[in-house]
Amino acid sequence: MAGCITDDDLFELASARRQLGDAPVLEAHLADCPACSALLCLLLAAPRDDARRELTGTTLGPYRLDGLIGAGAMGEVYRGWDARLARNVAVKVLSRQFAESPERVRRLEAEARAAAAIAHPNVVTIYDTGTHDGVPFVVSELCVGESLRSVIDRAPVPAGRAASLGLQLARGVGAAHAQGVVHRDLKPGNLIVTDDGTLKILDFGLAKVSGDGDADATEPGTLLGTAGYLSPEQARGEPADARSDLFSVGAILYELLSGRRAFGGATFAERLSGVLRDTPAPIDGAIGPIVMRCLEKDPRKRFQSANDLAWVLEAQLGAAPPARPDRARGISRRTFVLGTAATGIGGGVLGRALAPDRGRAFVPELRQLTFRQGRVASARFTPDGGSLLYSAAWEEHAMAVFTARLGGGGTRPLELPPAQLLAVSSRGELALSLDHRFFEGFHQRGHLALAPLEGGEPRGLGIDVQHADFSPDGAELAIVRRAGARFRLELPIGRVLLEGGWLSHPRIFPDGELVACCVHDSPQDDRGDLVLVPRRGGAARAIATGWSSIDGLAWTPSGHAMWISASRKGGNNSVWAIARDGRDLSRVPSVGRVRVHDVAADGRLAVTQTSGRVRTMVKAPGATAEVDLGLSDLAMVSDISGDGRFVVIGEFGDVDTAYGAYLRPTDGGPALRLGEGLPIDLADDGRGVLAWLYKPAPTIAVFPVPEGQPRPLAFPGLTGLRSPRWCAGDRIVVIGAAAGRPARLWRLDPDQTLVPISDEAVFGYIVVSPDGRSIALNTGERLLVIDADLRAPSRVVPGTFVDEVVCGWSADGTEVFVRSLSPPIRIRRVNLATAASTLVREVAPPRLGLRGVEKLVMSQAGDAYAYSYGQELSRLYSMTTEDPRA
């Protein structure tokens, strides 16, 4: 019945643990609800001890009940033995006096259904349900341990353990929310800590399952949950969503960390009033602001997902992912936007020796300068070295520019519009990027503008850039910007010094005669080389090559060396000093990913430590909300089936089974691992997936579905292969270059014949029509339609497609879906004949730490989609160094 009193509240009233005089809300409900009044009377009249133990030694179906573990208002939990599978189980039984109550049986079944939808180490596993001799029961895993309430009541919980338990709780809640389950009654009594230290969520008796026809808890006026832990919206009887659970998590975390309840009180009414009215005293330490954000009265100000909360907790705790074998060597790192998940920078994160090869023991001193949750994008010292300017996007806010005094005095925002800081001149002028956004992989850009150091209205220069750096005298700017499919380094603006697939992080030498920058193959991959470019003309000289990741640099004040952030293997970048001739002078070892931003005149570095992930969100056909279907912290969607029922995902983080290619139902069903590799394209008939294999050498292969060995494919004479896709008749189209000529689109026939089907210098995003005979391809700002059988010449779809790419094809073949590159992602249908377009939807990932949307794919009906986006949390530090020439 809508709004009925919880089992625990009834049990407390029946056992005299609470008086009706102390619970006016319950008293009022009992006066108006005959069902709850009758149940309370039954509890008051029920025998206390003997009846609860009458099932010990008996069997319920195949389960033998060996002893009573605990009892609640409506039933008991027994230790049981499953003779069929020879394992211990827990059996929850509805008390006999309530076994004939349809309402209580329904509640027990709903609890089992909610918990059974979730498979996660921090959620109790449901094995079975049934009824035996009129007694309904639920069978689950047997968790040996004690309730979190007992843990808290027994003794103070150390801060480290409290934070670890909170992280496990957030992960378990996130797993529940991913399956559309909102718990609505999280509290210490519903959590168990097993003997091995694992926290598990129990008792889903008040849970709401998305799509469940029972809407009892979403009706206005309903009061469900436990006072002191339920959210303000629950206390007001309003609908409870996933963010309500996050409030409860915050209340539990508060109690774990402080040893006192967030909303105390001697009576139910006092605790309920506290939730609505009071703000708990702040908690000291780095976790305190996280807890207080969970306890915001307004759901919009809390974390918007449990996964975000878990991610932030893990970054603050410095919980490094377990080491795993070097299984993905050869995979185009591109660090999947972010690099591998990183740990904290304090303590031993930055290594003990600046120059270990020289046997010296210099220990850098670190000073943390930022403490909020979000992403620090850039940082530069002021000309006098007394302050550090940085741009950051905190919480859900837009990017802004801040200043921090290094001698103390805190941080304050500059009076500027939302912008990313690019450079600071010796004259005290700022180079800014307005409307700065990620577009493709690591590529980002905005409108170049100049502003005074003290703040004010920026003056736009009318061009879009990715990076910029001032000349030593502050009179000129070096910039990197995109030109067609390539990037250009210019100094001054308009004079091209270098072109490449992707250029990044230009820094002008102290005498102004050289420019150092990083050269990469494409914005999808931060592998690259460090080069020096003469300002007066001449060829660029590569001085340090073969980095698996390189993403930041700055000249030392003397100009004898450069500090860079890079890695020889993997994506966890360290700080290196590189001489002008390319010699490695020193390295500061690190755990996680560290980025160099700038060097002060006294040699101090501005660095950030980052932790990142790539999430894959999916909306299935008919679903009302997106769910996270990634299995790890680095989950990249590759394709979606035409009917929207399956997605192909590449998993490269910490996966319970193994990394590689996975096929998963969009409704959240079990994932099928296809093998080691990066998936690319799912055949329309579902029989195979194209994927990259990387051992023993990079190869495109076919992974049969549902089983079979990978079958490598040969593309004789082609190099630089990209974007393979299925087309009609088991043929494959691919972009590649032959005999040193520019790349173009080729068709590989089953007899291994390669046929060119496009002009040269044509490459970009590709989608194939449902019949497999036409290819839509973005190249520059044009959209081409190419006949795979060469029955008709290629044609250009009318209109321009600036910063848009194709992402799907309609079922009838007359329209394609295109989407914008930068969030929020706007998806529209475009008629191939007339270019008429219709907005389909807008996709907006959470802004916390958002970097960009990597891939988005649409079903043929447009009713299902999947996308992957990157998130990054970072903290800014100043770090002392010693002279790398020593």
Side-chain angles (χ1 to χ4, degrees):
M1 182 176 296
C4 284
I5 298 173
T6 68
D7 295 348
D8 287 344
D9 287 336
L10 282 171
F11 188 60
E12 287 189 359
L13 291 172
S15 60
R17 296 178 184 175
R18 184 190 302 176
Q19 303 298 319
L20 281 177
D22 296 330
V25 175
L26 301 185
E27 183 177 24
H29 180 84
L30 286 166
D32 294 329
C33 182
C36 285
S37 298
L39 287 170
L40 180 59
C41 291
L42 282 172
L43 280 173
L44 291 168
R48 288 287 180 260
D49 296 323
D50 294 340
R52 292 191 181 282
R53 292 175 172 81
E54 64 178 347
L55 294 179
T56 299
T58 65
T59 60
L60 292 181
Y63 306 105
R64 185 185 72 225
L65 306 187
D66 293 335
L68 185 67
I69 297 174
M74 300 302 152
E76 302 87 38
V77 180
Y78 292 85
R79 176 189 296 271
W81 176 255
D82 183 350
R84 297 171 303 177
L85 298 177
R87 63 181 175 183
N88 291 309
V89 295
V91 183
K92 183 172 184 177
V93 177
L94 194 63
S95 296
R96 287 189 179 276
Q97 62 264 41
F98 300 114
E100 295 181 359
S101 166
E103 171 65 20
R104 298 300 155 172
V105 173
R106 181 205 62 78
R107 186 177 289 187
L108 186 71
E109 292 173 345
E111 176 182 357
R113 186 167 60 250
I118 311 158
H120 193 272
N122 297 121
V123 178
V124 66
T125 302
I126 298 296
Y127 295 146
D128 192 11
T129 63
T131 301
H132 182 80
D133 289 341
V135 179
F137 62 88
V138 175
V139 182
S140 69
E141 66 174 310
L142 181 64
C143 301
V144 180
E146 60 180 327
S147 74
L148 188 62
R149 169 54 59 208
S150 297
V151 173
I152 295 172
D153 291 345
R154 186 177 65 252
V157 181
R161 188 187 183 206
S164 176
L165 291 171
L167 174 59
Q168 294 185 64
L169 175 58
R171 286 171 172 165
V173 172
H177 292 171
Q179 301 304 319
V181 178
V182 180
H183 191 284
R184 301 190 301 194
D185 195 24
L186 291 167
K187 57 186 176 182
N190 283 344
L191 308 171
I192 189 170
V193 181
T194 65
D195 289 346
D196 66 0
T198 302
L199 180 141
K200 289 182 178 285
I201 303 172
L202 311 171
D203 196 346
F204 284 77
L206 294 183
K208 178 63 181 176
V209 182
S210 177
D212 195 327
D214 176 22
D216 65 340
T218 59
E219 294 179 3
T222 297
L223 178 61
L224 290 178
T226 300
Y229 300 98
L230 52 71
S231 65
E233 55 268 28
Q234 287 176 282
R236 293 190 293 267
E238 298 170 356
D241 61 16
R243 297 170 298 179
S244 295
D245 278 352
L246 298 188
F247 185 93
S248 304
V249 171
I252 295 167
L253 270 170
Y254 188 96
E255 192 169 352
L256 275 168
L257 289 163
S258 69
R260 61 184 183 275
R261 297 197 181 198
F263 306 100
T267 67
F268 175 89
E270 289 175 351
R271 295 192 292 273
L272 192 68
S273 177
V275 166
L276 290 168
R277 180 192 61 207
D278 298 339
T279 299
I283 300 176
D284 295 333
I287 307 298
I290 300 174
V291 176
M292 301 310 291
R293 185 174 177 188
C294 292
L295 293 175
E296 288 282 357
K297 306 296 186 190
D298 185 346
R300 295 171 297 181
K301 296 182 179 180
R302 298 174 205 150
F303 291 97
Q304 298 301 291
S305 80
N307 286 332
D308 285 345
L309 171 60
W311 179 45
V312 171
L313 282 171
E314 184 173 15
Q316 288 289 351
L317 285 168
R324 54 187 186 269
D326 184 24
R327 60 206 175 188
R329 286 189 68 184
I331 288 180
S332 177
R333 269 306 298 169
R334 38 186 313 275
T335 343
F336 291 94
V337 182
L338 305 160
T340 54
T343 63
I345 198 169
V349 172
L350 290 177
R352 293 292 180 184
L354 180 67
D357 294 339
R358 292 177 282 154
R360 304 182 62 184
F362 175 80
V363 179
E365 295 180 6
L366 293 163
R367 182 183 172 204
Q368 186 172 344
L369 300 174
T370 62
F371 299 89
R372 298 171 67 180
Q373 284 84 51
R375 182 172 65 87
V376 178
S378 59
R380 293 290 187 273
F381 289 100
T382 55
D384 64 5
S387 297
L388 194 60
L389 303 178
Y390 66 93
S391 49
W394 297 130
E395 287 87 31
E396 305 294 325
H397 301 296
M399 187 72 67
V401 180
F402 300 82
T403 178
R405 289 290 302 174
L406 297 177
T411 294
R412 65 176 177 85
L414 295 184
E415 294 183 0
L416 293 167
Q420 179 162 317
L421 177 68
L422 298 179
V424 180
S425 80
S426 57
R427 302 176 177 180
E429 194 170 32
L430 308 182
L432 303 174
S433 176
L434 306 181
D435 193 26
H436 194 87
R437 294 173 290 163
F438 279 88
F439 282 85
E440 177 188 10
F442 292 94
H443 172 218
Q444 49 189 304
R445 69 173 186 263
H447 310 315
L448 181 62
L450 302 178
L453 178 60
E454 61 273 13
E457 187 64 27
R459 177 174 60 88
L461 299 185
I463 57 174
D464 286 353
V465 301
Q466 177 180 253
H467 296 288
D469 190 40
F470 280 105
S471 60
D473 61 6
E476 296 178 315
L477 274 171
I479 65 168
V480 169
R481 59 172 161 175
R482 189 159 198 165
R486 296 172 67 79
F487 286 76
R488 290 176 177 171
L489 170 65
E490 302 177 9
L491 176 64
I493 296 173
R495 182 171 181 265
V496 179
L497 299 184
L498 182 68
E499 287 194 358
W502 175 45
L503 308 178
S504 68
H505 304 93
R507 298 305 295 266
I508 302 176
F509 186 69
D511 69 4
E513 294 303 312
L514 288 172
V515 183
C517 75
C518 305
V519 178
H520 320 264
D521 287 339
S522 80
Q524 300 291 344
D525 192 341
D526 70 347
R527 288 183 297 182
D529 305 327
L530 178 62
V531 304
L532 296 180
V533 186
R535 174 178 178 167
R536 306 301 176 186
R541 178 167 60 94
I543 63 169
T545 61
W547 301 98
S548 68
S549 173
I550 179 169
D551 74 343
L553 69 92
W555 288 98
T556 61
S558 66
H560 291 288
M562 287 168 283
W563 290 106
I564 70 170
S565 43
S567 175
R568 294 291 189 192
K569 176 181 175 182
N572 283 340
N573 293 355
S574 300
V575 178
W576 299 69
I578 304 296
R580 286 179 58 180
D581 61 6
R583 289 178 294 117
D584 296 349
L585 298 178
S586 58
R587 182 174 76 91
V588 184
S590 65
V591 176
R593 188 174 174 92
V594 178
R595 181 175 298 134
V596 170
H597 292 273
D598 200 17
V599 181
D602 62 3
R604 282 177 297 177
L605 292 178
V607 299
T608 50
Q609 178 272 332
T610 65
S611 61
R613 62 178 180 176
V614 175
R615 298 179 65 188
T616 288
M617 307 301 294
V618 177
K619 190 190 100 51
T624 58
E626 301 170 353
V627 295
D628 185 350
L629 291 190
L631 302 175
S632 74
D633 56 349
L634 292 175
M636 178 69 68
V637 69
S638 295
D639 198 12
I640 190 169
S641 61
D643 58 10
R645 295 177 54 234
F646 292 92
V647 287
V648 181
I649 301 173
E651 296 284 356
F652 294 93
D654 295 309
V655 187
D656 291 338
T657 51
Y659 93 101
Y662 286 79
L663 180 70
R664 190 169 189 189
T666 55
D667 64 5
L672 171 68
R673 183 172 184 267
L674 303 175
E676 295 187 7
L678 174 65
I680 307 168
D681 189 46
L682 173 64
D684 281 343
D685 60 10
R687 290 182 301 156
V689 170
L690 292 176
W692 279 104
L693 292 180
Y694 294 97
K695 296 180 181 179
T699 307
I700 298 173
V702 176
F703 282 24
V705 176
E707 60 184 16
Q709 295 297 314
R711 175 170 56 88
L713 300 173
F715 297 86
L718 290 188
T719 60
L721 300 177
R722 282 178 282 177
S723 304
R725 296 290 187 273
W726 294 101
C727 64
D730 287 333
R731 298 176 299 176
I732 293 168
V733 293
V734 67
I735 293 172
R741 302 293 300 171
R744 67 198 307 178
L745 193 63
W746 300 78
R747 189 188 72 224
L748 178 68
D749 293 339
D751 63 1
Q752 295 298 295
T753 301
L754 276 168
V755 180
I757 60 173
S758 78
D759 296 333
E760 291 183 340
V762 169
F763 48 86
Y765 284 76
I766 289 176
V767 292
V768 179
S769 63
D771 64 7
R773 300 192 177 280
S774 297
I775 300 101
L777 180 145
N778 286 99
T779 178
E781 297 179 357
R782 300 183 304 159
L783 177 59
L784 301 181
V785 177
I786 299 170
D787 192 316
D789 297 312
L790 298 176
R791 297 169 301 181
S794 301
R795 60 188 178 91
V796 178
V797 177
T800 59
F801 298 84
V802 179
D803 295 331
E804 289 183 309
V805 294
V806 288
C807 60
W809 206 306
S810 67
D812 63 7
T814 64
E815 297 176 312
V816 293
F817 296 100
V818 300
R819 59 107 172 170
S820 59
L821 286 169
S822 296
I825 303 297
R826 293 171 56 86
I827 306 169
R828 59 192 183 103
R829 289 177 178 264
V830 176
N831 186 286
L832 293 174
T834 65
S837 70
T838 305
L839 181 65
V840 176
R841 67 177 66 248
E842 189 172 281
V843 174
R847 294 182 64 172
L848 177 65
L850 179 64
R851 283 183 59 107
V853 171
E854 283 298 287
K855 184 74 177 285
L856 185 146
V857 288
M858 293 286 295
S859 67
Q860 293 174 3
D863 59 345
Y865 61 88
Y867 66 97
S868 297
Y869 68 96
Q871 287 182 297
E872 179 181 282
L873 294 182
S874 47
R875 287 169 282 182
L876 178 64
Y877 295 81
S878 65
M879 184 179 81
T880 59
T881 64
E882 66 174 353
D883 191 335
R885 294 175 297 172

